[in-house]
Amino acid sequence: MPPRFELPPQYAPHDVERRLYDRWLERGAFTARVDSPREPYVIVMPPPNVTAVLHVGHGLNNVIQDVLIRFERMRGRAAEWLPGTDHAGIATQNVVEKLLAAEGKTRFDLGREAFVERVWQFVKETGPAILEQLKVIGCSADWSRARFTLDPAYSRAVREVFVRLWEEGLVYRGHRVIHWCPHCLTALSDEEAEFHDTTGNLYYIKYPVVNGSGFVTVATTRPETLLGDTAVAVHPADQRGRPFLGKKVRLPIADVEIPVLADESVEKEFGTGFVKVTPAHDSNDFEIGVRHKLEMPLVMTEDGHMAHPTRVPKGLAGLDRFEARKQIVRMLEAQGLLVKVEPHQHALRRCYRCDTVVEPRLSDQWFVKMKPLAEPVLAAYRDAKFQIVPERWRATFENWMENIRDWNISRQLWWGHRIPVFTCTACRHQWADRQDPTRCPKCGGPVEQDPDVLDTWFSSWLWPFATFGWPQRTADLARFYPGHTMVTAPEILFFWVARMLMSGYHFMDRKLPFTTVYLHGTVRDTQHRKMSKSLGNGIDPLDVVRLYGADALRWTLIAGSSLGADLILDPNDLETTFAPGRNFANKLWNIGRFILSQLPERVQPIEALDVKALPLADRWILSRLQATLAEATASLEQFRLDEGGKRCFEFAWKELADWYVEAVKPRLPAETTSPGAAGAQSVLAYCFDAVLRLLHPVVPFITEELWQKLPGRRADDLLAVAAWPTPRPELADPDADRQFPLVQEAISSIRMLRAEYRVPPKARLRAAVRPKTEQVRRALAGERDTILRLAQLAELAFDGQRAVVGAHAVLADGSDVFVALEGEIDLQQECRRLADELTRVERQLSGLAAKLTNRNFVARAPAEVVAKEREKERAWRDQRQALADKLKSLGCS
RNA sequence: GGGCGAAUAGCUCAGUUGGUUCAGAGCGCCUGCCUUACACGCAGGAGGCCGGGGGUUCGAAUCCCUCUUCGCCCACCA
């Protein structure tokens, strides 16, 4: 009978990946049907930015999701993984503005409408690209439901949410100091202004007292803001303030008089105890300003240049704020008003999109009151209505939720959801509207819409339900909301995850959008730096796919990232980093190549076998498979994907390939019908089929390719939608689990002796075993052929009594193994080796003896632990005895 | 300033409830093999006072304290 397949000895990922992915798509394998009777399992994909190019961080995030979704799909759930992209307001606008800049234009040259049109053009090209890249790495998302946060339907949801919040009084116009990015020319939320530890300077500046002598010295990190000072504050209880309270000081350079006043918020210990108050450029100072009804002059333009009609002198006007800082320091120095400059550690806020130092700036913005939204979610968390994995994020999450601050949602951008707030230019009536009104509902006057757009996250926070058609009551929504698992990086826990929980609870009838938040680690380089484009230390997942295949990429990402831990990869050595996955795929390929070549068209199902009557090796591998199935399933359920993957790796490679396949080879010549062949074929087919299923979520391509070639497969069978293996507890076999390892050990010990004595590989030796018990004798005798072949023996006797001149080993249960090495053995060497072995055993024994004679141990340790230790001691004693006997018989001194 | 995490073989990491056949894996290294599924492989091997110190316990890589190093998050001391 010719082999059923002629397969090349090396797996070629590129020949199969595209083809299989297309088949999955053709079959609609990734689309959950709305009318399916199955229980749904839903993951919504964190939508990548439209401008993003797939990097390895996306790779990790999406492969984790893919493993989970494939796992649940195979377990019979209606698995829906909803993909999409985010319009990414600031980021996208920045990219397109950069393109314009290359043409020597700004967005203002185009005007709002044309600019937005231009961005649309751009994102229509770039948007789908990253999703295409996800297909290359095998992601089984439901592309038929892909969404974009600026889709018309989605935009309706955004608008609906805004209007409802408005109606509930949760949206308000705030006049306060917010984070302003002078490069992006927009306000930012607290979360978007990221802290960076920086060493700056603390400048001590003297403000001369008006109508008197002396100075008040203030300390500041931003001297240029002194132009906007409207007071100097000191703590009311600070004695140093006494002489100056109620007096005025002269602000240098700006040349205005400002009061010295007392305010509780001033920290006595810091600096000089006196603080300059710049209400329009510092949120603290703003509060002081409000309390003391101070003037609040803005002294900078939106793009960070100094400007004020009276306070900024000619030489400084129009200067960039950092230039102005230098200039002002020089001027103060010249005037003798600079006391000193100290290096100073502090945290600077920078724009999360362009890294520009954020400028606090007084302005009017739209805010959402967050406390009412956060409180029920926090309570739900404490009530275990959802979990965060790993659990250690609890404190961080709770702390943020408890101290939540109002959310600035307006952005001075053009790209995004326009804020649906309308104002009547006649009567000043202001309202939020679901439709675009043409007339004021109050007076019929003309209306104008707020020029700003909403924060990108104001649309993303609706992702788990807006994607399914909300506010329409769609069938999708009814079926796929609430979802189950949110997989993301801790960086956007607050940006996104917490807000999704809040919006879900608030707008979806108190139903949280998912039950588990799984926070995975960050991909870093060998110096533990986050991989990034700017550092040039990134890994392009598509390069990896090209070089080693998608499964190799996936394997390294999954096997390398334990629960919530960062993943360190070496961008300078892709070979070392991804070879394990490539090697494993190739190993599977060759296991498959061999097994497939041995299987007939029809293989008896495992149920048809009398399992108890099978040879030891068969019973052992079936038992191992059951253990693997249970452990791998449990691992995946607990999000320990690395553990699950590695367990299957262990089974496929170490147990199935290294031992079982080797053990059954003689029973398997495809041409003949040797005794036991049918059983071996069934076992092989069953085990291989099962392990392919278990591995499919992690390495979907290679497993699908091989699985489809198994006997009995129909043309349209797909592993991607096949069932997760069913546990068969009746296949667990504790006896086999105990006995087969003795066979392995017998083989290993003989191999070890061969290596030790440098026996030529081809030489066949004689060996004898003296089993400890009758049961062991039967077990080893049953696998006699296996031992003969794998240990390269000519003869194996079970009458260990017969003197064999040679080397000796003792198995774990105390059975002896003798290997004949006539003429080859060096008696001296064997004595030395056995003596070393004896020493090792003695050491173990004395440790155990110390423990067992320790009255405290015997008295206080649990009885079963003591019993276990006693049993161990017996086994070691047997080994010692066997070794001692052997040493004596060899006449070693 | 507060909180969290990490420190185990040359490298990247497992080690879940404390019990000497749990000191492990992959890669790398050494030795020998093209044993007709696989050299992206097979067989054998070397290599670690489990970051330092102290404590709890009959017993600690595992629990507690402390120190050192690295990383992350949060925070209106300008």
Side-chain angles (χ1 to χ4, degrees), chain A residues 699-845:
Chain A
V699 281
F701 292 109
I702 177 86
T703 49
E704 179 79 71
E705 178 71 2
L706 290 169
W707 189 84
Q708 289 182 4
K709 296 186 191 312
L710 283 171
R713 286 286 120 77
R714 284 171 316 196
D716 61 343
D717 278 343
L718 283 186
L719 177 55
V721 292
W724 194 248
T726 317
R728 295 177 188 276
E730 71 276 14
L731 294 182
D733 188 334
D735 287 337
D737 287 340
R738 259 193 312 275
Q739 292 168 358
F740 193 74
L742 294 174
V743 175
Q744 294 173 301
E745 208 192 349
I747 295 166
S748 301
S749 60
I750 296 167
R751 284 171 172 170
M752 193 192 72
L753 294 172
R754 295 179 66 106
E756 180 113 358
Y757 287 103
R758 308 200 171 276
V759 176
K762 306 267 186 211
R764 308 269 154 167
L765 305 179
R766 287 183 303 119
V769 176
R770 184 167 58 200
K772 199 71 196 167
T773 65
E774 176 54 22
Q775 206 187 15
V776 171
R777 197 197 66 78
R778 258 185 285 127
L780 294 177
E783 291 293 337
R784 187 166 178 274
D785 289 346
T786 305
I787 301 172
L788 281 173
R789 214 158 29 81
L790 299 187
Q792 299 272 74
L793 299 177
E795 188 186 315
L796 177 63
F798 286 92
D799 56 352
Q801 301 304 339
R802 197 177 71 182
V804 178
V805 180
H808 176 222
V810 184
L811 304 187
D813 73 326
S815 302
D816 301 279
V817 175
F818 305 91
V819 180
L821 290 165
E822 298 92 339
E824 316 211 32
I825 188 155
D826 174 340
L827 200 62
Q828 293 271 307
Q829 190 186 342
E830 177 65 358
C831 284
R832 211 178 312 122
R833 200 183 62 75
L834 289 171
D836 286 351
E837 191 64 15
L838 187 59
T839 310
R840 194 179 67 91
V841 172
E842 296 279 14
R843 203 181 310 127
Q844 299 286 347
L845 263 174

Side-chain angles (χ1 to χ4, degrees), chain A residues 227 253-254 256 295-301 305-318:
Chain A
L227 298 176
I253 303 171
V256 264
E295 269 185 79
M296 305 187 179
L298 280 164
V299 293
M300 279 181 224
T301 58
H305 291 74
M306 308 310 296
H308 188 272
T310 58
R311 288 177 159 248
V312 176
K314 273 224 169 61
L316 293 171

Side-chain angles (χ1 to χ4, degrees), chain A residues 188-320:
Chain A
L188 301 172
S189 65
D190 294 332
E191 291 71 30
E192 290 170 318
E194 295 183 333
F195 282 109
H196 291 263
D197 287 330
T198 318
T199 306
N201 290 321
L202 192 58
Y203 301 87
Y204 289 77
I205 303 167
K206 288 196 288 191
Y207 290 0
V209 176
V210 177
N211 297 331
S213 58
F215 301 90
V216 166
T217 303
V218 297
T220 180
T221 53
R222 297 187 297 153
E224 70 280 10
T225 62
L226 75 77
L227 298 176
D229 286 3
T230 51
V232 168
V234 64
H235 193 275
D238 191 335
Q239 294 301 324
R240 292 170 296 182
R242 280 281 165 78
F244 302 102
L245 282 179
K247 295 200 170 160
K248 292 201 165 189
V249 292
R250 177 161 300 278
L251 197 55
I253 303 171
D255 199 29
V256 264
E257 294 179 7
I258 57 174
V260 178
L261 49 84
D263 193 280
E264 298 270 354
S265 71
V266 179
E267 185 65 49
K268 283 181 281 189
E269 309 309 318
F270 189 87
T272 60
F274 293 91
V275 59
K276 58 194 274 311
V277 179
T278 323
H281 291 280
D282 185 286
S283 59
N284 258 330
D285 296 1
F286 172 75
E287 300 297 331
I288 298 176
V290 169
R291 281 195 287 275
H292 299 274
K293 299 191 171 56
L294 299 174
E295 269 185 79
M296 305 187 179
L298 280 164
V299 293
M300 279 181 224
T301 58
E302 291 181 343
D303 61 353
H305 291 74
M306 308 310 296
H308 188 272
T310 58
R311 288 177 159 248
V312 176
K314 273 224 169 61
L316 293 171
L319 274 190
D320 172 80

Side-chain angles (χ1 to χ4, degrees), chain A residues 613-674:
Chain A
L614 290 173
L616 174 58
D618 299 44
R619 285 182 283 122
W620 172 77
I621 196 70
L622 290 171
S623 188
R624 298 320 299 151
L625 175 62
Q626 292 313 306
T628 305
L629 167 54
E631 288 163 29
T633 305
S635 294
L636 292 182
E637 282 172 345
Q638 293 158 45
F639 303 99
R640 312 195 64 121
L641 311 188
D642 60 322
E643 207 178 75
K646 283 173 185 165
R647 183 64 189 90
C648 298
F649 170 94
E650 185 82 12
F651 175 79
W653 197 321
K654 303 298 154 180
E655 296 175 333
L656 184 62
D658 286 353
W659 287 101
Y660 184 68
V661 165
E662 293 304 331
V664 292
K665 270 182 178 170
R667 283 196 266 149
L668 275 177
E671 322 77 56
T672 69
T673 48
S674 56

Side-chain angles (χ1 to χ4, degrees), chain A residues 569-607:
Chain A
L569 301 177
D570 187 351
N572 299 315
D573 190 357
L574 297 185
E575 166 81 19
T576 297
T577 307
F578 295 99
R582 177 201 56 184
N583 295 354
F584 181 41
N586 195 239
K587 185 69 185 184
L588 282 175
W589 179 255
N590 279 290
I591 296 170
R593 217 155 64 94
F594 176 76
I595 291 178
L596 290 171
S597 73
Q598 305 298 320
L599 298 182
E601 274 305 329
R602 300 183 67 90
V603 177
Q604 268 198 325
I606 197 79
E607 302 85 44

